[in-house]
């Protein structure tokens, strides 16, 4: 393979995305002595979802010490749960400390990926029209990258401001405005209390009330940070305790049992403690099993809904006109701005670009009714292609970083085997992938995740393609060892067989 300055290089690894997954893999590649990789990042900075989601109140709902790389602990977290700006700075720190900027091609969007069976290489088409090549491609684009826009009649007529939380306009001032917020998911419970004090009025359109538990978020003192810097073992102990506490709630989600009822009782008691109005409390009480939808953590969501300038509408949205939003029961509300806290397209998302594998098959077509992969990483028919945080690897209870590090460990083994077989490419066997996914779906039966509510975890036909259906430590055990027998090794043919498509096939990478 060639160095970074070789314009005709065939990279050993191309990583797409410079969020937690891409940065973590790049660091670990370097620690193994691998320097022949490139990261394509469509934005001008690292950070992924933590760079892009800048809406007021954006923060993590996983404790800070658990929501960071195990190999790069941060004793200086300012709060128990990291806010967006702090997590973004942490990722910038990681990129700087490990000198990743020399590997990252910023402002470089990937428009298509095409696998050549004759060469065993991926052709990478960039937004500027150039092409690059790599032996292996790792999609580290994350699951939360495609905003979900609701289909609302008349949305194009509305003359005010419409913002999705994932595409927030920081230059638009909400102060004194009449604002409607659509959605009651993870972003809504953060943005509502953040903007409530400054807006003239806030109408929250709720389709289904979430289960909400107290977050117990607190600032971290300078003395505590100093202790963690002085004795790193303390931070490891805190991280381990946080992990164990997160795993302890899994049985309540895996089986609709007395543990589920206990959690629901705690949630109702919290609601009753904070919301005195019985009518509002009734509107905010879920009618489905805790865990069927994502359980949300907040110390200020319920208090914000009790304020005089806030109203909760449970009938849903009917349509919009030039200046107003209409509820399904006919109520007309004039507003200046609408905030769409409607989440992301997750269960059936393949990639934000065409990915063409063996015999011209296309990933988004294969995943049109629901995505699947082997261990959430390898997809049959797409050799030398790996996902970070692919199908059925989402955590329902703990830190996504734990899953990312498990996948990085597996991917490093995969790439070592690929390097040891320079004249072959690797494709996971279709029966291996099928057996794995059949087992995943079997494990969902009887869990609260599939107990009947309409969740973003599910596809239209009720299949959960988002979460891992068990303890996270079980996923780590499954990804600990790479087995070559689960893959087909196919010998490559002529190195020039795929060169006729365009004249700039070997255009510069850097």
């Amino acid at each position: 393979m060639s160095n970074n300055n070789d314009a005709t290089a065939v990279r050993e690894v191309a990583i797409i995305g410079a969020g937690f997954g891409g940065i973590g893999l790049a660091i670990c590649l370097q620690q193994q002595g691998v320097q022949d990789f490139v990261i394509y990042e469509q934005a001008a900075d690292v950070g992924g979802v933590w760079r892009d989601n800048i809406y007021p109140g954006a923060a993590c709902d996983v404790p800070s010490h658990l929501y960071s790389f195990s190999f790069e602990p941060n004793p200086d977290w300012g709060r128990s749960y990291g806010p967006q700006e702090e997590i973004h700075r942490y990722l910038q720190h990681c990129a700087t400390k490990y000198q990743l900027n020399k590997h990252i091609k910023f402002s470089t969007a990937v428009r298509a990926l095409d696998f050549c069976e004759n060469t065993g290489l991926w052709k990478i088409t960039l937004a500027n029209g150039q092409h690059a090549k790599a032996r292996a491609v790792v999609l580290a684009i994350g699951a939360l990258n495609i905003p979900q826009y609701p289909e609302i009649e008349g949305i194009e007529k509305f003359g005010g401001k419409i913002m999705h939380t994932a595409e927030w306009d920081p230059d638009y001032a909400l102060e004194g405005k009449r604002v409607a917020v659509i959605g009651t998911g993870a972003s809504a419970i953060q943005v509502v209390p953040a903007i409530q004090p400054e807006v003239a009025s806030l109408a929250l359109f709720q389709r289904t009330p979430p289960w909400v538990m107290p977050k117990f978020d607190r600032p971290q003192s300078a003395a505590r940070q100093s202790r963690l810097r002085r004795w790193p073992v303390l931070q490891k102990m805190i991280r381990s305790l946080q992990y164990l506490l997160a795993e302890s709630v899994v049985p309540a989600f895996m089986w609709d049992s007395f543990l589920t009822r206990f959690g629901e009782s705690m949630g109702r008691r919290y609601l009753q403690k904070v919301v005195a109005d019985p009518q509002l409390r009734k509107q905010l009480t879920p009618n489905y099993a805790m865990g069927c939808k994502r359980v949300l953590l907040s110390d200020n969501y319920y208090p914000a809904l009790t304020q005089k300038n806030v109203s909760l509408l449970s009938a849903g949205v009917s349509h919009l006109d030039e200046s107003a939003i209409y509820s399904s029961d006919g109520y007309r509300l004039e507003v200046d701005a609408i905030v769409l806290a409607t989440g992301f397209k997750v269960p059936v998302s393949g990639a934000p670009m065409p990915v063409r594998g063996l015999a011209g098959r296309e990933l988004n077509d294969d995943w049109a009714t629901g995505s699947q992969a082997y261990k959430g990483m390898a997809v049959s028919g797409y050799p030398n292609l790996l996902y970070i945080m692919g199908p059925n690897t989402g955590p329902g209870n703990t830190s996504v970083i734990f899953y990312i590090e498990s996948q990085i460990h597996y991917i490093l083994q995969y790439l070592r085997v690929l390097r040891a077989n320079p004249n072959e490419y690797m494709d996971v066997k279709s029966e291996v992938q099928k057996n794995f996914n059949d087992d995943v779906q079997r494990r969902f039966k009887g869990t609260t995740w599939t107990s009947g509510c309409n969740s973003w975890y599910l596809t239209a036909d009720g299949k959960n393609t988002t979460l891992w259906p068990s303890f996270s430590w079980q996923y780590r055990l499954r990804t600990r060892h790479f087995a070559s027998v689960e893959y087909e090794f196919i010998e490559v043919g002529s190195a020039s067989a795929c060169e006729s498509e365009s004249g700039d096939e070997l255009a510069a990478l850097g």
Side-chain angles (χ1 to χ4, degrees):
M1 302 290 175
S2 305
N3 62 39
N4 286 348
N5 296 319
D6 189 345
T8 61
V10 174
R11 301 292 186 186
E12 182 175 340
V13 186
I15 302 169
I16 302 176
F20 265 105
I23 287 176
L25 176 58
I27 292 171
C28 292
L29 282 170
Q30 288 194 137
Q31 290 174 339
Q32 290 202 342
V34 178
Q35 294 290 340
D36 189 13
F37 64 88
V38 61
I39 303 175
Y40 293 107
E41 172 52 59
Q42 65 179 357
D45 193 7
V46 302
V49 66
W50 296 109
R51 175 199 59 233
D52 297 337
N53 282 259
I54 59 172
Y55 61 86
C60 191
D61 58 3
V62 173
S64 299
H65 296 300
L66 192 56
Y67 200 83
S68 50
F69 294 123
S70 62
F71 51 80
E72 185 58 32
N74 175 25
D76 296 324
W77 290 114
R79 299 195 64 86
S80 308
Y81 294 80
Q84 174 265 329
E85 302 95 329
E86 201 167 353
I87 299 174
H88 185 203
R89 286 198 301 271
Y90 171 76
L91 288 168
Q92 291 173 320
H93 156 78
C94 291
T96 300
K97 176 178 177 178
Y98 292 94
Q99 301 179 13
L100 295 184
N101 286 344
K102 63 184 179 182
H103 293 278
I104 303 175
K105 307 302 178 187
F106 289 112
S107 303
T108 305
V110 174
R111 287 290 176 257
L113 295 170
D114 292 271
F115 185 74
C116 177
E117 300 177 39
N118 292 291
T119 63
L121 302 176
W122 281 95
K123 184 181 79 171
I124 304 165
T125 302
L126 306 177
N128 61 8
Q130 293 185 328
H131 297 88
K133 289 185 176 181
R135 191 157 182 234
V137 171
V138 179
L139 288 165
I141 56 178
L144 306 181
N145 60 80
I146 307 174
Q148 175 72 59
Y149 278 84
E151 295 182 4
I152 301 175
E153 181 185 346
I155 194 169
E156 72 285 349
K157 298 178 182 178
F158 183 66
K161 181 71 170 180
I162 297 180
M163 290 187 291
H164 194 287
T165 52
E167 298 175 337
W168 193 265
D169 182 358
D171 296 325
Y172 182 79
L174 288 173
E175 185 176 0
K177 298 290 199 309
R178 300 166 298 174
V179 180
V181 177
I182 300 175
T184 51
S187 57
I189 71 160
Q190 295 179 341
V191 74
V192 166
I195 66 174
Q196 175 271 319
E198 63 178 298
V199 301
S201 63
L202 192 156
L204 177 62
F205 284 81
Q206 170 186 273
R207 184 175 61 181
T208 307
W211 284 103
V212 180
M213 301 292 281
K215 194 173 186 179
F216 303 116
D217 186 22
R218 300 289 184 271
Q220 303 299 291
S221 68
R224 176 187 172 93
Q225 294 170 344
S226 177
R227 285 194 298 270
L228 296 179
R229 283 194 299 271
R230 186 177 304 174
W231 298 298
V233 67
L234 291 178
Q235 188 170 358
K236 290 183 179 179
M237 291 171 61
I238 293 171
R239 180 187 176 95
S240 297
L241 179 60
Q242 291 173 343
Y243 175 76
L244 292 173
L245 288 173
E247 288 293 273
S248 70
V249 305
V250 174
F253 299 157
M254 289 178 64
W255 304 286
D256 193 356
S257 65
F258 76 94
L259 291 173
T260 313
R261 303 288 84 78
F262 177 73
E264 292 171 354
S265 176
M266 292 178 62
R268 282 190 288 267
R269 284 201 300 270
Y270 174 53
L271 175 59
Q272 187 168 14
K273 177 182 177 182
V274 178
V275 180
D277 182 354
Q279 180 59 34
L280 179 59
R281 199 162 60 235
K282 183 179 179 181
Q283 287 179 282
L284 293 171
T285 301
N287 61 358
Y288 55 89
M290 176 177 278
C292 187
K293 289 176 177 283
R294 183 176 178 181
V295 178
L296 306 179
L297 303 179
S298 177
D299 297 324
N300 52 14
Y301 176 64
Y302 284 158
L305 298 184
T306 67
Q307 301 305 305
K308 292 181 179 180
N309 66 335
V310 178
S311 58
L312 179 66
L313 295 92
S314 299
V317 178
S318 170
H319 62 282
L320 303 176
D321 65 18
E322 289 80 1
S323 60
I325 185 169
Y326 293 76
S327 66
S328 298
D329 57 0
Y331 182 68
R332 183 179 186 272
L333 182 69
E334 290 202 358
V335 293
D336 304 303
I338 298 174
V339 175
L340 302 176
T342 48
F344 299 86
K345 296 180 180 179
V346 176
V348 297
S349 60
M353 78 287 287
V355 180
R356 287 175 281 265
L358 298 179
R361 60 191 298 178
E362 217 269 280
L363 186 61
N364 284 321
D365 291 337
D366 286 349
W367 284 2
T369 58
S371 53
Q372 65 170 258
Y374 180 55
K375 299 185 179 181
M377 290 178 276
V379 186
S380 182
Y382 299 85
N384 298 7
L385 179 75
L386 294 157
Y387 250 90
I388 291 180
M389 294 312 299
N392 289 117
T393 60
N397 65 297
T398 191
S399 174
V400 69
I401 311 304
F402 186 87
Y403 285 81
I404 287 175
E405 291 193 11
S406 300
Q407 292 168 354
I408 288 173
H409 179 76
Y410 183 89
I411 290 171
L412 292 175
Q413 295 180 77
Y414 180 109
L415 294 175
R416 279 199 298 270
V417 173
L418 190 61
R419 285 195 298 273
N421 295 273
N423 297 316
E424 296 176 313
Y425 58 83
M426 294 160 50
D427 187 25
V428 65
K429 296 176 181 177
S430 58
E431 65 271 19
V432 170
Q433 178 175 304
K434 181 181 184 303
N435 291 339
F436 175 83
N437 283 277
D438 287 347
D439 178 61
V440 165
Q441 294 305 316
R442 178 185 59 79
R443 287 169 175 258
F444 275 117
K445 293 180 180 178
T447 66
T448 57
W449 292 307
T450 56
S451 59
C453 68
N454 182 21
S455 165
W456 63 269
Y457 297 150
L458 307 178
T459 62
D461 61 357
K463 184 179 179 181
N464 193 321
T465 60
T466 306
L467 299 180
W468 173 249
S470 188
F471 296 93
S472 62
W473 58 263
Q474 290 185 328
Y475 182 77
R476 175 151 292 187
L477 288 178
R478 289 207 177 194
T479 56
R480 178 165 291 179
H481 301 292
F482 177 87
S484 296
V485 295
E486 297 172 334
Y487 289 79
E488 292 184 74
F489 289 76
I490 299 99
E491 189 172 354
V492 300
S494 169
S496 60
C498 296
E499 296 300 318
S500 59
E501 295 180 18
S502 66
D504 60 346
E505 194 75 21
L506 292 176
L509 280 167

